[in-house]
Amino acid sequence: MWDLVGVLFLSVCILAFVYLLRPYLHVLLHGKPRYITEVEKNRPTFRARIKAYFGLAHKPPGEGFAGFKGVSLNCNTKQRASDLVRSLRADKINRVPFRHVHFRGNDTLGKYSTTKTTAKLLCLDFALLDANLVLESGENAIYHMNLMFVWARACPRGTVLFVKDADAFLAQTCSPDDEPSDARETFLYNIDGISKNVLVILDSCG
């Protein structure tokens, strides 16, 4: 009698464990989520990891304008980008949640290149979220949005999530029952309680 109860209890525990791990298993089996169109891994070199481990890296890479040498930005914008990286690096060192960033302006200002360079200087992976794919999505939009954040948080180095055309996504007027609208609410919910290893950068043309 007790053996049967024990087997049933163990089976229920295993099923519950598998159910909770279902999103992680989906990411492991299928790779990047549906809404992510580009991924760039920024693994630090072995030499950099050894220096960081022994505390020998006194001056972080990309200090000042040097980190944005290959990015087409004017001096004022480069200075602001360098200050941003310095602030975000301090957040990462102190293990506090990242503050979300909003890049506003036309596409010729180098927002995409600045974001990729920022991710590289912070030794975080880069991921591009195309907001238009969310607007065009049909069923299971909420599931795929949650899956995307599970995937982003699972990266051991951390992730810079660049939201392309964020204004079109966040300002889209939908009925409350539409899947894109629900996905938008899910997105806002996730970035409100974001983990310490995900930095969200919103891109808008306004």
Side-chain angles (χ1 to χ4, degrees):
M1 175 64 182
W2 289 107
D3 291 341
L4 179 60
V5 173
V7 170
L8 291 176
F9 178 76
L10 182 61
S11 301
V12 170
C13 290
I14 293 175
L15 291 174
F17 183 72
V18 171
Y19 178 79
L20 291 175
L21 289 181
R22 188 174 53 130
Y24 297 91
L25 294 174
H26 188 282
V27 170
L28 182 64
L29 294 174
H30 299 279
K32 65 182 182 180
R34 174 187 296 181
Y35 300 145
I36 300 296
T37 58
E38 181 182 346
V39 176
E40 181 177 289
K41 303 290 185 180
N42 291 314
R43 297 183 176 88
T45 62
F46 179 76
R47 181 180 179 184
R49 282 181 286 180
I50 291 296
K51 284 187 174 182
Y53 180 80
F54 289 101
L56 301 177
H58 299 293
K59 185 176 180 181
E63 192 71 29
F65 287 177
F68 294 91
K69 184 177 180 180
V71 183
S72 300
L73 300 173
N74 58 48
C75 290
N76 183 38
T77 306
K78 278 188 178 181
Q79 181 62 55
R80 296 175 66 181
S82 300
D83 293 341
L84 174 63
V85 170
R86 190 177 300 110
S87 175
L88 293 172
R89 184 181 286 120
D91 291 342
K92 182 180 179 182
I93 293 174
N94 296 324
R95 301 184 65 83
V96 298
F98 286 120
R99 289 161 288 181
H100 305 313
V101 181
H102 181 200
F103 287 167
R104 185 175 63 181
N106 57 58
D107 293 336
T108 61
L109 295 179
K111 296 175 291 183
Y112 171 79
S113 300
T114 300
T115 303
K116 294 191 72 172
T117 304
T118 299
K120 185 175 181 179
L121 294 176
L122 294 175
C123 294
L124 302 174
D125 290 346
F126 170 83
L128 175 63
L129 164 64
D130 191 345
N132 293 311
L133 294 179
V134 182
L135 296 176
E136 298 168 359
S137 63
E139 299 180 355
N140 298 325
I142 299 176
Y143 171 76
H144 287 289
M145 183 62 69
N146 283 319
L147 186 67
M148 182 192 67
F149 279 98
V150 168
W151 172 83
R153 293 188 183 104
C155 176
R157 288 176 296 276
T159 305
V160 173
L161 186 62
F162 183 59
V163 185
K164 181 182 178 182
D165 297 329
D167 48 355
F169 169 52
L170 298 176
Q172 181 73 14
T173 56
C174 304
S175 65
D177 297 331
D178 287 343
E179 285 286 338
S181 178
D182 294 336
R184 178 178 57 191
E185 296 300 323
T186 304
F187 173 82
L188 294 174
Y189 172 79
N190 276 281
I191 67 173
D192 181 59
I194 203 71
S195 60
K196 297 178 183 179
N197 64 334
V198 179
L199 168 63
V200 177
I201 297 182
L202 302 172
D203 162 44
S204 68
C205 298

